[in-house]
């Protein structure tokens, strides 16, 4: 993950945040947006490439999850814009800023797909807990609350994935 000094707010609104705090918060949102997009892409990939006896159920399940992630991606990008930032928008930016790793091109079993997505959701939840605390320390309760809601959405998605693990 990279912290880019050029990622300073594009249009600074007078909303009670110090510029230094806003810059740190925008970096956190960049990392979150990148992670969300990597996880979205991975979930979509698994949706397309699932095979086996449970194909129909898993194909639909992964579709539901990437649909939720698509909404989260949009909300994170819009939160960044609301704070005066520029939302990341290219694959190169997502990969350069992601804390999650891209899934290598390979064929996975259904169990391996579920395990990988579960591990990614749990890693993202852990990162979001740290980010929520940082936003509170920086005086941005709005972003802390937003990230808490995002974390709760991931907790539910992880619970759903966990239900498939034997």
């Amino acid at each position: 993950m990279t912290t880019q000094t050029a990622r300073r707010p594009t249009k600074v609104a007078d909303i009670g945040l110090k510029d230094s705090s806003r810059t740190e918060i925008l970096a956190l949102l960049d990392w979150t947006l990148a992670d969300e997009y990597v996880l979205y892409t991975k979930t979509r990939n698994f949706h397309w490439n699932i095979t086996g006896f449970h194909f129909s159920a898993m194909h639909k399940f992964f579709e539901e999850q990437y649909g939720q992630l698509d909404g989260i991606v949009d909300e994170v990008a819009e939160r960044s814009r609301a704070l005066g930032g520029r939302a990341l928008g290219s694959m190169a930016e997502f990969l350069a800023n992601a804390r999650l790793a891209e899934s290598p091109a390979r064929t996975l079993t259904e169990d391996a797909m579920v395990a990988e997505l579960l591990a990614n959701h749990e890693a993202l939840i852990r990162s979001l807990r740290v980010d929520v605390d940082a936003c509170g320390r920086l005086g941005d309760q709005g972003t802390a609350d937003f990230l808490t809601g995002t974390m709760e959405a991931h907790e539910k998605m992880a619970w759903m994935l966990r239900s498939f693990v034997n």
Side-chain angles (χ1 to χ4, degrees):
M1 76 191 136
T2 61
T3 302
Q4 302 173 5
T5 56
R7 305 270 318 140
R8 297 206 188 284
T10 54
K11 292 182 181 179
V12 180
D14 184 10
I15 57 173
L17 287 176
K18 295 178 192 172
D19 285 345
S20 60
S21 294
R22 188 189 318 253
T23 299
E24 285 186 58
I25 292 162
L26 289 171
L28 295 175
L29 289 170
D30 284 348
W31 298 332
T32 301
L33 180 58
D35 287 341
E36 298 290 355
Y37 208 85
V38 166
L39 186 53
Y40 164 82
T41 302
K42 189 178 295 189
T43 305
R44 188 125 199 179
N45 173 22
F46 292 169
H47 162 78
W48 288 329
N49 291 299
I50 187 76
T51 60
F53 184 76
H54 300 109
F55 166 80
S56 182
M58 295 306 295
H59 185 75
K60 290 176 185 171
F61 175 74
F62 290 152
E63 183 176 17
E64 290 171 11
Q65 289 224 329
Y66 79 67
Q68 291 175 319
L69 292 166
D70 183 54
I72 292 171
V73 164
D74 192 54
E75 290 172 2
V76 174
E78 289 177 357
R79 182 70 191 164
S80 181
R81 295 291 295 143
L83 295 178
R86 179 195 156 274
L88 302 178
S90 73
M91 293 306 295
E93 288 175 313
F94 293 141
L95 292 174
N97 286 278
R99 297 171 284 197
L100 297 179
E102 185 178 34
S103 185
R106 63 192 194 300
T107 302
L108 296 176
T109 65
E110 175 185 316
D111 288 344
M113 288 178 180
V114 168
E116 186 168 334
L117 292 176
L118 176 58
N120 280 198
H121 279 280
E122 289 176 343
L124 192 45
I125 291 163
R126 289 188 302 273
S127 294
L128 286 166
R129 286 190 194 288
V130 172
D131 295 348
V132 166
D133 289 342
C135 288
R137 178 181 46 78
L138 294 166
D140 187 356
Q141 292 75 21
T143 301
D145 181 62
F146 168 75
L147 292 177
T148 298
T150 302
M151 180 182 65
E152 290 169 347
H154 283 285
E155 288 171 341
K156 185 169 183 179
M157 285 187 271
W159 164 57
M160 297 291 208
L161 285 159
R162 209 173 290 112
S163 71
F164 288 104
V165 177
N166 297 326

